[in-house]
Structures are given as structure tokens and as C-alpha cells.
């Protein structure tokens, strides 16, 4: 393999590893945050609620970091595909996107019991 081919292969593997690790970290973080919300609503003492708030804040910062890493790996993947010419334009169905947005908005409004 040439040096350039080897470099591309290493970059591709690094991007795949970062994406996989980010996903594997992100999933448990969502569980932790859900439990924090549940515990915070059930806790009676302000001191314990404050401690849970600190844990929740740290978890949110970590989740943000992992999300940023995932975004970065996606950008790197797209850039690599564009340089290698693999990226192809995909057709976009605007009508279905608009329908989906309207449907999601209706559900959100219905849950809030507002017109």
C-alpha cells in the first residue's frame, strides 16, 4: 500500500472507532439522565436534589461532548467521501419532509393540550 492509501485507511478506521465509541457512551448517558430526572422529582431534601442536579449537569456536559465528537466524525466521513468521489447526490422529497414536520408538530401540540 502506498503511504496515501494507508493514511486514508487509518483515517477511515479512526472515524469509525470514534463514531462507535461515541454511540456506546451516549446510550448509557441517556439512561443516567432519565434516572436523574426521575430521582429529582421524587427526592424530598434540597441537599440531595442539589447533588443530583450536579450529577445531571455533569452528565449533560459529557453528553454534549460525545455529541460533538459524533458530529465531528460525521463531518470527517463526509469530507473523506467527497475527496474520494464516493459521495453522490441524493434526491430529496420536500413534500414528505413537510408532512413529517407537520405531523410531529401536531403530536407536540396535542401533548401540551394547546390548540
Amino acid at each position: 500500500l502506498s503511504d496515501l492509501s494507508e493514511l486514508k485507511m487509518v483515517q477511515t478506521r479512526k472515524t469509525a472507532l470514534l463514531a462507535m465509541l461515541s454511540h456506546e457512551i451516549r446510550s448509557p448517558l441517556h439512561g443516567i439522565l432519565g434516572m436523574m430526572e426521575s430521582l429529582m422529582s421524587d427526592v424530598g431534601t434540597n441537599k440531595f436534589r442539589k447533588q443530583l442536579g450536579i450529577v445531571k449537569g455533569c452528565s449533560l456536559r459529557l453528553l454534549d461532548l460525545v455529541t460533538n465528537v459524533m458530529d465531528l466524525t460525521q463531518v470527517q466521513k463526509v469530507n473523506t467521501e467527497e475527496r474520494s468521489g464516493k459521495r453522490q447526490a441524493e434526491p430529496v422529497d420536500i413534500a414528505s419532509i413537510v408532512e413529517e414536520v407537520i405531523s410531529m408538530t401536531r403530536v407536540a401540540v396535542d401533548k401540551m393540550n394547546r390548540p
Side-chain angles (χ1 to χ4, degrees):
L1 292 175
S2 72
D3 288 341
L4 185 57
S5 296
E6 191 172 328
L7 182 61
K8 285 182 181 179
M9 184 176 69
V10 167
Q11 180 66 28
T12 301
R13 287 183 177 171
K14 180 185 87 169
T15 301
L17 177 66
L18 283 174
M20 189 258 321
L21 285 174
S22 297
H23 175 74
E24 294 300 322
I25 293 170
R26 196 169 181 220
S27 296
L29 274 173
H30 281 288
I32 291 169
L33 288 166
M35 290 304 296
M36 283 296 110
E37 288 292 325
S38 177
L39 287 171
M40 288 176 78
S41 66
D42 292 342
V43 171
T45 66
N46 284 336
K47 181 181 179 184
F48 194 59
R49 188 171 294 149
K50 185 176 181 179
Q51 291 170 337
L52 288 173
I54 292 169
V55 173
K56 181 182 175 189
C58 292
S59 297
L60 285 171
R61 276 188 236 109
L62 185 56
L63 181 61
D64 187 46
L65 174 66
V66 170
T67 300
N68 289 339
V69 168
M70 288 179 73
D71 291 345
L72 178 63
T73 58
Q74 184 61 31
V75 168
Q76 288 176 344
K77 181 180 175 189
V78 168
N79 287 342
T80 302
E81 288 174 354
E82 285 175 354
R83 276 185 257 147
S84 64
K86 293 180 184 176
R87 183 124 171 113
Q88 296 178 0
E90 297 177 15
V92 176
D93 184 5
I94 298 293
S96 68
I97 293 172
V98 170
E99 283 181 33
E100 186 175 346
V101 169
I102 290 170
S103 174
M104 291 171 63
T105 304
R106 279 191 188 126
V107 169
V109 169
D110 288 344
K111 284 185 179 180
M112 294 184 327
N113 293 324
R114 294 185 185 152

